[in-house]
Amino acid sequence: MRKFDDSYRHKGLRKKLMDILREKGITDENVLSAMNNIPRHFFLDTALDNIAYEDRAFPIAEGQTISQPYTVAYQSQLLQVKPQDKILEIGTGSIYQASVLAEMGAKVYTIERQKKLFEKTKEYIFKSQYSNLKFFYGDGFEGLPTYAPFDKVIITAAAPFIPPKLIDQLKPGGKMIIPVNEGEQQRMLRITKNIDGSTLEESFNNFSFVPMLAGKNG
Ligand code: SAH
């Protein structure tokens, strides 16, 4: 296994990245401090070490991507994370977004549909540090009925529509952050489930994600 090194240089680059995120409008200090604590370069191929703190997405295995830091910060901020929140994430990918939420003190349940990416979570280097982070292999459209209801749901792939089962698995008063398809890009939506089960929809900026696909792969 790769020997990890979180050097002063990496820490410095990370701090600069947080300044960039602030300039782009991220104000939630809990999000920024969690992201400042997590060595993003550990989640990427060693070849990308020198550019791991640029504000951009990178390829990971299986044709998937690690989201751009700004996107991770934006979604995490919209989620209004509180410590102890029970959060369902769809699209584990590199585990970076899930780690940010775990670092913020949430109980995180993350699902990945690609078997090979799920298998990689078994070698997750922060396993002992984040006992509040649990991995599942499955189809995000189905959610995790056994563990429902959740305070929050975050979808990190481009959803063709708002999955009804995920609304069902949200607590009354709970919130879902979901990028929903609009042609080439996706509109970031925040859905709040009211006490009577009805939903309120807020619309934010456009982003570009890999597609949320139905069924498991592998
Ligand atoms: N949160 C990730 C982003 C990864 S990209 C990170 O921080 O790196 C989106 C991921 O969603 C991909 O790994 C893709 O395989 C996964 N995905 C797509 N559709 C899915 C579905 N229906 N259920 C679970 N995972 C899905």
Side-chain angles (χ1 to χ4, degrees), residues 49-63:
D49 251 28
N50 287 329
I51 49 175
Y53 294 99
E54 291 182 8
D55 189 19
R56 48 184 278 208
F58 289 109
I60 53 170
E62 306 308 307

Side-chain angles (χ1 to χ4, degrees), residues 43 58 60-67 72 75 89-99 110-114 117 136-142 154-158 209-216:
F43 295 78
F58 289 109
I60 53 170
E62 306 308 307
Q64 302 303 322
T65 55
I66 177 172
S67 301
V72 172
Q75 286 197 285
E89 182 198 30
I90 312 303
T92 312
S94 70
I95 328 180
Y96 179 70
Q97 169 74 75
S99 305
T110 181
I111 315 180
E112 175 57 55
R113 71 178 286 278
Q114 294 263 9
L117 290 176
F136 299 85
Y137 170 52
D139 177 4
F141 282 99
E142 300 297 323
I154 173 171
I155 287 108
T156 66
F209 285 83
V210 296
M212 179 175 180
L213 302 171
K216 290 188 278 190

